[in-house]
C-alpha cells in the first residue's frame, strides 16, 4: 500500500476508464428484463403519478430522489423497463468510480484499481444496478460522504464538510435509511473527539465545521421531506405492526441476514460456502489491520454503520433485510483487497521470502476475480421475477371456464399493472372458499415460501390435488413464480 499521490497519472486514469467501461457493459446487459414486484409497485404507485403528486404521502417502498430520475427517464424514453432502471445503472457505475476514489485515499492506486474492478464485477452490485430502486444511488452518496468525512477528519476544510452535508441530504432523500450511515459517521466523530483516535489536531475548526455540516444537512432533508413529514411517523408504526404478524419471522433475525448475505454472495455450494465465508472474514480482519496505518477510521466507519442499522431495525421491530447493508458491500471489498495485500506480506515475512509478497498478492487477486466472474453470471440466467411471463402463459392457456386466482401479494399487481381479471386470494379463509367451488382453477403464486407458510392448505394441495404447470425462475430471493391447475 502507498499513500495517495495528489496527482492522477495517465495510466491510472486509463485503467479507471476501462474498469468503468466493464461496469457499464455488465449493468446494461439484459437491462430490459421484466420488472419484478417492488419495481412494479414503485412504477404504478409513484413514478407514474403527476410530478405534483409524487410527494403526497410517505412510503418505505418509495425511494423519492431516485424515483424522480426514473420518472424523467421514462418521460424521455417511454414506458420501458430499462428506462426505469437506467438511473440505477448510472449510480451503479458511479459507485465503482467512487469506491476507486475511496480506496485510493485509503491505500493508494494499486489497491484502488483492484477494488474498483471487484466492485464492477460484484454480483450484488450488478443486481441492484439493474433494479428500478434507489439502492445504488444510496451507495453512491454514502461512499462520497465517507470520502469527504475521512478527508475532513484528517484535514478539515469548510468545502469538504459542505460537500459532506450535501451527500448526506441526497442519501437521506433517496431513502430514510440513508440516515443510518451518516448517524454512524457522527458516532465515529464523537469517538474520535473524545479519544483522539484517528483524527488530526483538535482545533476549533475541527469541531465547528462538522457541526455546520450536520445543521446544513438537517435543513436540506427537512425541506426535501416537508410535504410528507406528517405521514412519516405513522408509516413507521405500520411497518412495525406488519413485521409482528409476518409469517417469515426469520426476516427479523440478524443471523438469517448474515446467512442470506452469504448465500446470495456465494451460492448454496455446501462446504465451499463455509470455506469461502471463513476465508472472507479472515481477509477482512487482515484488511482492518492493514488499513489502520493509513486510515484508522475506515474500518470503524463500516462497523459503526452495521451496528447502528441493526440497533435501529431491532428497536423498531423491523425486518432485517440484507439490502439495508448494501452500502457496506463496496467498502468491505476494499477491506478484502487490503487484507489480501497485508496477508501476502505477513506470509512472505513468516517464511522469510520477502520477494513472494507481490506474487502471493497477485494469486489472491486472481482468485477473487475468478470467483466474482463466476458469480456475476447468475444475474443473467433469469429475470429477477418474471411476472410478465407468468401473466402471458396463463392468458394464452386459460380456458373459457377457468377461474384464475393470484395468491396475495400477486393479485393486486396483476390487476393494476397487467389489467388482469384475476381474483386475489389473501388468506386461508379465502383460499378455502375458492377451492370449495367446483370447476377448473388456475393458481398463480408469488413468493411461494412465504405464501405456503401463510396458507398451509395451499402447500398441502400443491403436493396433492393441484397439478403443477410451470415454474418461472427468478434471481430474487423467493422470487420463483409457480403456476398450478385443477381440473
Amino acid at each position: 500500500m502507498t499513500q495517495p499521490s495528489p496527482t492522477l497519472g495517465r495510466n491510472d486514469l486509463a485503467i479507471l476508464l476501462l474498469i468503468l467501461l466493464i461496469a457499464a457493459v455488465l449493468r446494461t446487459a439484459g437491462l430490459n428484463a421484466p420488472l419484478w414486484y417492488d419495481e412494479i409497485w414503485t412504477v404504478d404507485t409513484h413514478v407514474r403519478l403527476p410530478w405534483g403528486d409524487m410527494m403526497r404521502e410517505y412510503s418505505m417502498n418509495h425511494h423519492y430522489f431516485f424515483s424522480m430520475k426514473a420518472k424523467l427517464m421514462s418521460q424521455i424514453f417511454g414506458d420501458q423497463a430499462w428506462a426505469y432502471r437506467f438511473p440505477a445503472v448510472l449510480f451503479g457505475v458511479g459507485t465503482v468510480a467512487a469506491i476507486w476514489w475511496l480506496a485510493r485515499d485509503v491505500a493508494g492506486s494499486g489497491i484502488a484499481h483492484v477494488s474498483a474492478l471487484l466492485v464492477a464485477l460484484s454480483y450484488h452490485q450488478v443486481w441492484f444496478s439493474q433494479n428500478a430502486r434507489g439502492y445504488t444511488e444510496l451507495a453512491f452518496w454514502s461512499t462520497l460522504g465517507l470520502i469527504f468525512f475521512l478527508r475532513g477528519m484528517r484535514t478539515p476544510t469548510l468545502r469538504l464538510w459542505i460537500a459532506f452535508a450535501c451527500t448526506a441530504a441526497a442519501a437521506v432523500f433517496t431513502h430514510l435509511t440513508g440516515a443510518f450511515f451518516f448517524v454512524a459517521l457522527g458516532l465515529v466523530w464523537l469517538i474520535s473527539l473524545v479519544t483522539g483516535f484517528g483524527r488530526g489536531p483538535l482545533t476549533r475548526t475541527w469541531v465547528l465545521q462538522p457541526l455546520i455540516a450536520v445543521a446544513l444537512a438537517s435543513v436540506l432533508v427537512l425541506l426535501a421531506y416537508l410535504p410528507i413529514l406528517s405521514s412519516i411517523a405513522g408509516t413507521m408504526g405500520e411497518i412495525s405492526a406488519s413485521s409482528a404478524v409476518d409469517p417469515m419471522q426469520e426476516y427479523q433475525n440478524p443471523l438469517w441476514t448474515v446467512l442470506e448475505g452469504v448465500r446470495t454472495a456465494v451460492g448454496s455450494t455446501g462446504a465451499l460456502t463455509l470455506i469461502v465465508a471463513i476465508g472472507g472474514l479472515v481477509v477482512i480482519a487482515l484488511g482492518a489491520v492493514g488499513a489502520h496505518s493509513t486510515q484508522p477510521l475506515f474500518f470503524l466507519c463500516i462497523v459503526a454503520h452495521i451496528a447502528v442499522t441493526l440497533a435501529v431495525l431491532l428497536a423498531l421491530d423491523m425486518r432485517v433485510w440484507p439490502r439495508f447493508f448494501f452500502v457496506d458491500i463496496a467498502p468491505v471489498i476494499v477491506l478484502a483487497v487490503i487484507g489480501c495485500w497485508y496477508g501476502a506480506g505477513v506470509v512472505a515475512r513468516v517464511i522469510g521470502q520477502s520477494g513472494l509478497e507481490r506474487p502471493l498478492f497477485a494469486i489472491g487477486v486472481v482468485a477473487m476475480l475468478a470467483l466474482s466472474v463466476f458469480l456475476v453470471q447468475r444475474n443473467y440466467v433469469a429475470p429477477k421475477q418474471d411476472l410478465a411471463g407468468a401473466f402471458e402463459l396463463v392468458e394464452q392457456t386459460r380456458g373459457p371456464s377457468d377461474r384464475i386466482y393470484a395468491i396475495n401479494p400477486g393479485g393486486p399487481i396483476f390487476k393494476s399493472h397487467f389489467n388482469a381479471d384475476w381474483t386475489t386470494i389473501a388468506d386461508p379463509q379465502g383460499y378455502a372458499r375458492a377451492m370449495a367451488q367446483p370447476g377448473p382453477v388456475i393458481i398463480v403464486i408469488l413468493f411461494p415460501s412465504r405464501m405456503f407458510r401463510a396458507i398451509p392448505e395451499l402447500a398441502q394441495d400443491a403436493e396433492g390435488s393441484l397439478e403443477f404447470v410451470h415454474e418461472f425462475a427468478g434471481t430474487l430471493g423467493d422470487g420463483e413464480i409457480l403456476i398450478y391447475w385443477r381440473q
Side-chain angles (χ1 to χ4, degrees):
M1 293 190 299
T2 60
Q3 290 289 349
S5 169
T7 59
L8 181 62
R10 288 185 177 180
N11 290 341
D12 289 338
L13 181 59
I15 293 172
L16 174 60
L17 291 176
L18 178 60
I19 292 171
L20 294 180
L21 177 61
I22 294 171
V25 170
L26 290 174
R27 285 153 178 77
T28 52
L31 191 62
N32 209 38
L35 298 173
W36 72 283
Y37 179 88
D38 274 5
E39 291 178 304
I40 291 176
W41 197 253
T42 295
V43 168
D44 287 358
T45 66
H46 194 210
V47 178
R48 284 179 175 171
L49 295 177
W51 283 101
D53 293 338
M54 291 180 68
M55 293 290 293
R56 64 186 180 184
E57 61 182 1
Y58 181 75
S59 169
M60 283 290 287
N61 193 65
H62 295 334
H63 297 188
Y64 291 91
F65 203 18
F66 176 86
S67 293
M68 292 177 178
K69 303 174 187 69
K71 181 175 181 64
L72 179 62
M73 292 300 299
S74 66
Q75 288 186 331
I76 295 173
F77 297 105
D79 184 18
Q80 303 287 334
W82 73 264
Y84 294 119
R85 291 169 172 157
F86 194 67
V89 173
L90 295 179
F91 283 108
V93 175
T95 300
V96 175
I99 214 67
W100 181 91
W101 186 7
L102 173 64
R104 186 171 181 268
D105 273 7
V106 172
S109 295
I111 299 295
H113 296 327
V114 177
S115 300
L117 182 56
L118 286 170
V119 173
L121 295 170
S122 165
Y123 165 79
H124 291 97
Q125 294 285 334
V126 173
W127 198 96
F128 281 97
S129 293
Q130 297 185 323
N131 187 26
R133 315 278 281 136
Y135 295 105
T136 55
E137 181 172 5
L138 193 59
F140 175 76
W141 295 124
S142 298
T143 305
L144 285 186
L146 181 56
I147 292 169
F148 297 138
F149 175 81
L150 293 176
R151 288 189 169 194
M153 293 290 285
R154 177 166 287 174
T155 54
T157 66
L158 188 58
R159 180 184 301 177
L160 277 174
W161 286 109
I162 289 176
F164 173 81
C166 292
T167 57
V172 178
F173 188 40
T174 301
H175 198 266
L176 272 183
T177 55
F180 300 167
F181 189 81
F182 291 89
V183 168
L185 296 185
L187 289 178
V188 172
W189 177 81
L190 286 174
I191 292 171
S192 184
L193 174 64
V194 173
T195 65
F197 178 73
R199 63 167 167 83
L202 183 59
T203 63
R204 185 177 180 181
T205 297
W206 191 93
V207 175
L208 288 180
Q209 287 182 354
L211 295 178
I212 292 171
V214 171
L216 176 58
S218 300
V219 169
L220 292 174
V221 169
L222 286 173
L223 289 174
Y225 279 114
L226 188 61
I228 54 174
L229 280 178
S230 60
S231 68
I232 291 178
T235 301
M236 294 297 103
E238 292 173 4
I239 291 172
S240 178
S242 67
S243 298
V245 297
D246 192 336
M248 309 295 282
Q249 286 296 303
E250 61 267 31
Y251 290 171
Q252 300 176 53
N253 187 335
L255 179 59
W256 173 85
T257 304
V258 173
L259 295 176
E260 182 67 7
V262 172
R263 185 194 67 80
T264 56
V266 182
S268 300
T269 53
L272 180 60
T273 301
L274 182 61
I275 293 171
V276 172
I278 294 174
L281 289 175
V282 172
V283 169
I284 291 169
L286 290 171
V289 177
H292 180 80
S293 61
T294 56
Q295 184 45 267
L297 294 180
F298 178 51
F299 177 69
L300 182 58
C301 290
I302 299 172
V303 172
H305 175 246
I306 294 172
V308 167
T309 302
L310 277 176
V312 173
L313 295 177
L314 293 175
L316 296 176
D317 293 325
M318 293 176 61
R319 302 170 184 90
V320 188
W321 298 116
R323 60 176 176 256
F324 288 134
F325 306 93
F326 175 70
V327 300
D328 299 305
I329 292 176
V332 166
I333 287 174
V334 177
L335 276 177
V337 177
I338 295 174
C340 188
W341 172 260
Y342 185 80
V346 170
V347 172
R349 288 192 295 272
V350 168
I351 64 177
Q353 299 288 333
S354 59
L356 287 179
E357 184 173 1
R358 289 184 180 275
L360 288 174
F361 175 62
I363 292 171
V365 169
V366 169
M368 289 189 291
L369 290 174
L371 181 62
S372 298
V373 170
F374 171 75
L375 294 175
V376 76
Q377 298 177 63
R378 294 182 299 161
N379 278 294
Y380 312 106
V381 300
K384 289 176 169 57
Q385 190 181 41
D386 196 359
L387 285 90
F391 174 76
E392 183 179 356
L393 176 65
V394 170
E395 289 297 314
Q396 287 179 351
T397 59
R398 67 185 297 183
S401 60
D402 288 346
R403 301 194 315 276
I404 303 173
Y405 295 104
I407 306 298
N408 187 57
I413 285 291
F414 284 115
K415 184 170 292 187
S416 65
H417 192 75
F418 297 97
N419 296 317
D421 60 345
W422 305 354
T423 302
T424 298
I425 293 178
D427 50 41
Q429 294 75 24
Y431 178 76
R433 287 193 298 269
M435 300 306 288
Q437 302 177 40
V441 169
I442 297 176
I443 296 178
V444 182
I445 307 171
L446 272 65
F447 306 107
S449 295
R450 170 186 291 273
M451 298 319 302
F452 284 151
R453 192 176 300 182
I455 307 177
E457 295 82 359
L458 174 63
Q460 295 172 9
D461 290 348
E463 296 293 331
S465 60
L466 294 176
E467 179 181 346
F468 176 73
V469 176
H470 191 76
E471 174 183 334
F472 287 89
T475 59
L476 175 72
D478 198 20
E480 302 85 3
I481 301 177
L482 306 180
I483 299 178
Y484 289 89
W485 181 65
R486 186 194 73 181
Q487 297 187 24

